[in-house]
Amino acid sequence: MARSLWTVSLASCLSLAACADSSAPGSDDEIGSATGGETGGETGSSETGASSSTEESESESSTEESESESSTEESESESESSESEESETETGETGFEGPLDDVLTLAHVQVKATHNSYHLEPLIPFDASHEYSHPPLDVQLEDYGVRAFELDLHRGTLDGEFLVYHIIIIDEETTCETFEDCLLTISDWSEQNPGHVPIMIWLELKDSTGGMPIDDLLLVDQAILDVFPPNRVLTPDFVRGDYDNVRAALEAEGWPTLGEVRGKVMFSVLNGGHPSVEAYTYGYTSLLGRMMFVGQGDYELPYAAVDKINDPGSPKIAEAHAADVLTASNVCGAGQPDGECFAELEAGKLSGTHALKDDFLAPVDGMRYFLDLPEGNPVRCNAATAPPECTAEAIEDLP
């Protein structure tokens, strides 16, 4: 492929710390050799002749030095090897490896997802659509097999920190109050389970329902890099590889294989029409050096790669498949009747939208419906896009 597995654009290194994270571990400084040389030089310094005893002593000293240096080099080599193995574990290079990892791609899977993934039901709900609660993000990942989240971003009025909630005052209960808290929860779980398929994190810019305007998405990029080193993020540059843009790469090669992207997270701006997107995409032309994809319904634009299509049965999803665009759709929301929820789940499974976003991961009082994908453990083969040889166990297999 024209992509390089660990290609990270220099522009992605938005801080010295981020650049340091993306570099490979360097070798330790050489130590001890000068000490060995000084010891050898002092041996027999008061002697005026080259006696046989002195030569033997010098020879033995030289042999000991050589053995010592060899031992030191072996120790350093073992230490570097250990560091390398630890680094691979931290960055998701070990863990579950599927038998079809060089065949299946992100476009071939369908995952459980949650809508407003942080949400807790307020004490006094102002609307029926607010009457639901989600478990913490790591519990969703571990116990329910969720592999896609939706987080609403607001910018705090005091310090500009990114906060996560729905609507200020009337619906602001959350399992992770700050964007950093949410990401740390996901990161901790990911590090402990490095064989997972990429976790898709959709970000909705919600400055219209609380907080200061979000007018610079590079600040969001930096917030991501404050938690995830670049090599743990599936970025637009990774997909683009050596092609001119993301769209050209997808048309030529499609998405990277699962073997290339296990253990990573990927970020997408859900509302691609937000005013901040124009500058972030260089005037709707590129995502060079950016950490996030941007939702786009015009699949001919050079950065078009993801799209949130609310209706899980929409014919637009078939257009997205044809363009190798990843999609997400809402399935069941609080306040919807059971029959409607079951129908929308079946429509989403049939259409092959890649992420099925739901308000109900488990049964609740008064409802028969909850999001259940018995064909996946926890991820299922996409009914619309997966090749015949695909199996859920080949994608990800939980105990």
Side-chain angles (χ1 to χ4, degrees), residues 96-101 104 258 262 389-396:
F96 177 82
E97 294 182 5
L100 298 176
D101 267 10
L104 300 178
L258 294 185
R262 287 195 183 277
E389 62 268 33
C390 179
T391 65
E393 292 75 19
I395 301 172
E396 189 175 337

Side-chain angles (χ1 to χ4, degrees), residues 279-310:
Y280 190 73
T281 58
Y282 305 95
Y284 308 108
T285 63
S286 173
L287 289 172
L288 179 67
R290 306 311 198 203
M291 299 303 295
M292 302 182 289
F293 295 88
V294 173
Q296 178 52 247
D298 181 353
Y299 304 150
E300 294 184 0
L301 288 181
Y303 63 89
V306 299
D307 191 15
K308 171 73 182 293
I309 302 173
N310 284 332

Side-chain angles (χ1 to χ4, degrees), residues 141-370:
L141 289 163
E142 181 71 18
D143 294 348
Y144 296 94
V146 169
R147 294 296 180 267
F149 294 120
E150 182 179 308
L151 304 178
D152 291 341
L153 280 192
H154 303 259
R155 196 168 180 211
T157 56
L158 296 179
D159 54 9
E161 184 176 20
F162 288 109
L163 307 176
V164 174
Y165 61 88
H166 191 213
I167 304 172
I168 194 167
I169 301 177
I170 68 171
D171 192 20
E172 59 181 10
E173 297 299 317
T174 174
T175 60
C176 47
E177 293 185 358
T178 70
F179 187 40
E180 181 182 32
D181 289 341
C182 296
L183 296 190
L184 286 171
T185 300
I186 296 169
S187 177
D188 288 346
W189 184 90
S190 174
E191 286 183 339
Q192 296 169 23
N193 301 271
H196 64 78
V197 297
I199 300 168
M200 306 176 191
I201 304 170
W202 293 79
L203 304 177
E204 185 167 7
L205 309 177
K206 275 288 189 75
D207 44 4
S208 62
T209 62
M212 297 192 302
I214 300 175
D215 51 15
D216 185 359
L217 292 183
L218 292 182
L219 296 177
V220 182
D221 276 6
Q222 185 59 60
I224 292 169
L225 288 167
D226 286 343
V227 175
F228 290 97
N231 59 5
R232 289 183 59 199
V233 182
L234 175 54
T235 62
D237 280 344
F238 187 99
V239 174
R240 179 178 62 83
D242 295 330
Y243 292 92
D244 290 340
N245 52 61
V246 171
R247 179 98 304 270
L250 290 175
E251 291 176 354
E253 300 193 30
W255 287 87
T257 64
L258 294 185
E260 295 175 283
V261 296
R262 287 195 183 277
K264 293 180 181 289
V265 296
M266 65 176 290
F267 295 87
S268 299
V269 176
L270 185 154
N271 43 335
H274 191 274
S276 61
V277 165
E278 182 174 6
Y280 190 73
T281 58
Y282 305 95
Y284 308 108
T285 63
S286 173
L287 289 172
L288 179 67
R290 306 311 198 203
M291 299 303 295
M292 302 182 289
F293 295 88
V294 173
Q296 178 52 247
D298 181 353
Y299 304 150
E300 294 184 0
L301 288 181
Y303 63 89
V306 299
D307 191 15
K308 171 73 182 293
I309 302 173
N310 284 332
D311 178 4
S314 170
K316 181 75 172 177
I317 295 172
E319 295 180 33
H321 289 326
D324 233 334
V325 168
L326 300 183
T327 63
S329 302
N330 292 339
V331 180
C332 183
Q336 287 184 258
D338 277 335
E340 189 174 312
C341 292
F342 281 116
E344 294 204 353
L345 176 58
E346 289 307 309
K349 291 165 67 175
L350 183 63
S351 71
T353 188
H354 297 94
L356 298 162
K357 295 188 176 185
D358 211 288
D359 286 350
F360 300 103
L361 289 176
V364 297
D365 291 341
M367 287 188 68
R368 292 182 297 111
Y369 172 89
F370 67 96

